[in-house]
Amino acid sequence: STSAGAAPAACKPASTATQVTAMLSKFNTDCLAAPAGKPFTITMANHDAGVPHNLAIYADEAASKPLFRGDLITGPASITYHVRPLPAGRYFFRCDVHPQMKGAVRIG
């Protein structure tokens, strides 16, 4: 059986539609994946009532070069972000309001 936390090896680009949940100021995953060179969507469900979250993708963990910055939504609410195609590689995502909410983005 597999554990509740997906192993990094399981984080493979399979679809152009990804999902993430924000709850208790944490994301439910630390890895998002999408195919290279194709636009993709990230649907974020924010379950934190009265708390704003977003999802932003950066070139790396320095978070100095934003590649995508999603609008803030205050929970409970959901939003679907439309992300332009990215070249194959490994990137970084986080909530800009709560930088401890973070993970890797695998494009390939």
Side-chain angles (χ1 to χ4, degrees), residues 72-91:
L72 287 171
I73 60 162
T74 299
S78 287
I79 189 170
T80 298
Y81 298 125
H82 295 268
V83 185
R84 64 180 173 76
L86 292 171
R90 190 177 168 106
Y91 304 94

Side-chain angles (χ1 to χ4, degrees), residues 89-103:
R90 190 177 168 106
Y91 304 94
F92 174 73
F93 77 90
R94 73 171 191 189
C95 169
D96 286 329
V97 183
H98 306 96
Q100 77 274 13
M101 298 171 64
K102 64 184 193 238

Side-chain angles (χ1 to χ4, degrees), residues 13-107:
S15 169
T16 55
T18 60
Q19 284 96 25
V20 65
T21 300
M23 191 160 60
L24 303 175
S25 290
K26 291 181 183 144
F27 285 129
N28 67 329
T29 182
D30 61 2
C31 188
L32 297 173
K38 294 184 177 177
F40 62 99
T41 60
I42 302 168
T43 300
M44 183 181 77
N46 179 355
H47 293 298
D48 289 339
V51 180
H53 293 305
N54 81 331
L55 192 144
I57 298 172
Y58 294 90
D60 56 41
E61 290 196 38
S64 57
K65 185 182 175 194
L67 304 174
F68 171 82
R69 187 170 278 149
D71 292 335
L72 287 171
I73 60 162
T74 299
S78 287
I79 189 170
T80 298
Y81 298 125
H82 295 268
V83 185
R84 64 180 173 76
L86 292 171
R90 190 177 168 106
Y91 304 94
F92 174 73
F93 77 90
R94 73 171 191 189
C95 169
D96 286 329
V97 183
H98 306 96
Q100 77 274 13
M101 298 171 64
K102 64 184 193 238
V105 180
R106 292 187 183 181
I107 304 294

